[in-house]
Amino acid sequence: MQCRLATQNDLDTIMNLYSISRDFMIKNGNPHQWGDNNWPPRELLIDDIEKSQCYVCVQNEKIVGVFVYIFGKDCDPTYLKITEGNWLDDSAYGVVHRLATDGVTKGVGSFCLNWCYEKAGHLRLDTHGDNKPMQALARKLGFVHCGTIYVEHDNYPRLAYEKSALTKKLNK
C-alpha cells in the first residue's frame, strides 16, 4: 500500500468510498456520524483536494482508502477546546479526518494512520461515540483518549484521541 495526494480525477472514487463507509457505519450502530447529513459533502472534498490535504491509499493501482491529513501548531480550530479531559502534548501535530475504506481490503485504516504518524510524530483524531471500530483501531495503534471535542457540522460530541512520544510514555 501507499498513500498519495488525491486529485480531482479521484473524486468519484472517493465519493464512493464515503458511501460505502456510511453504509458500514449505519449497519454497525453508528447511523449519525456521517449518515444524518450525507457527510462529507462533495464541495468539502473538492476544497480538501485543492488545499492538498486529501490523500488516498492505493493498493495494486486501486484506491482502497481516503483521509484528510493536516499538520501544524493548532492546525484544527475544533481541537482548541477540549472538555472532559485535556490534550497531553502541546507540540505541533497532525490531524486525521474522514478516514474511509473500501470495506474489503484489510489493514487500510492502520496503514493510513501509521503513515500519518510517521510523517507527524504527533497525531490527533476524533470519532463519534458510536464509532466502535474507529475507537478500537485508535486504541490498538496506541492512541490515548484525551477528552471530548465538538465539530461544526453536527451537535454530537466526539471522542478525542492523541498519539505522540509523550503519550507513548504515559501509555506504558
Side-chain angles (χ1 to χ4, degrees), residues 15-161:
M15 292 300 296
N16 187 52
L17 290 176
Y18 284 117
S19 178
I20 291 167
S21 290
R22 275 191 301 276
D23 289 345
F24 174 85
M25 285 195 255
I26 290 167
K27 290 174 185 167
N28 287 279
N30 184 15
H32 302 295
Q33 184 170 350
W34 291 350
D36 287 349
N37 52 9
N38 207 32
W39 192 259
R42 187 177 190 92
E43 301 77 33
L44 178 60
L45 299 172
I46 291 169
D47 187 52
D48 286 336
I49 292 169
E50 288 174 357
K51 290 179 178 174
S52 296
Q53 60 190 30
C54 183
Y55 290 82
V56 291
C57 181
V58 180
Q59 181 173 337
N60 299 326
E61 299 182 26
K62 179 183 177 207
I63 296 174
V64 296
V66 62
F67 59 93
V68 169
Y69 170 77
I70 307 164
F71 181 83
K73 182 71 172 157
D74 298 328
C75 61
D76 189 328
T78 59
Y79 285 17
L80 294 177
K81 182 177 180 184
I82 185 168
T83 63
E84 301 171 31
N86 57 301
W87 298 115
L88 303 172
D89 187 335
D90 193 33
S91 65
Y93 56 90
V95 175
V96 177
H97 287 304
R98 300 188 291 282
L99 175 61
T101 74
D102 65 1
V104 176
T105 308
K106 299 295 181 205
V108 176
S110 293
F111 184 86
C112 294
L113 290 177
N114 286 331
W115 183 87
C116 292
Y117 184 73
E118 286 176 21
K119 287 180 76 78
H122 180 193
L123 204 55
R124 292 179 181 175
L125 58 88
D126 65 88
T127 192
H128 195 283
D130 291 336
N131 194 339
K132 302 301 183 199
M134 188 62 182
Q135 293 169 42
L137 179 60
R139 286 190 305 273
K140 174 183 145 189
L141 296 179
F143 284 80
V144 175
H145 177 244
C146 292
T148 304
I149 59 118
Y150 292 85
V151 296
E152 291 180 14
H153 64 273
D154 66 40
N155 293 319
Y156 295 104
R158 298 293 198 273
L159 303 175
Y161 291 88

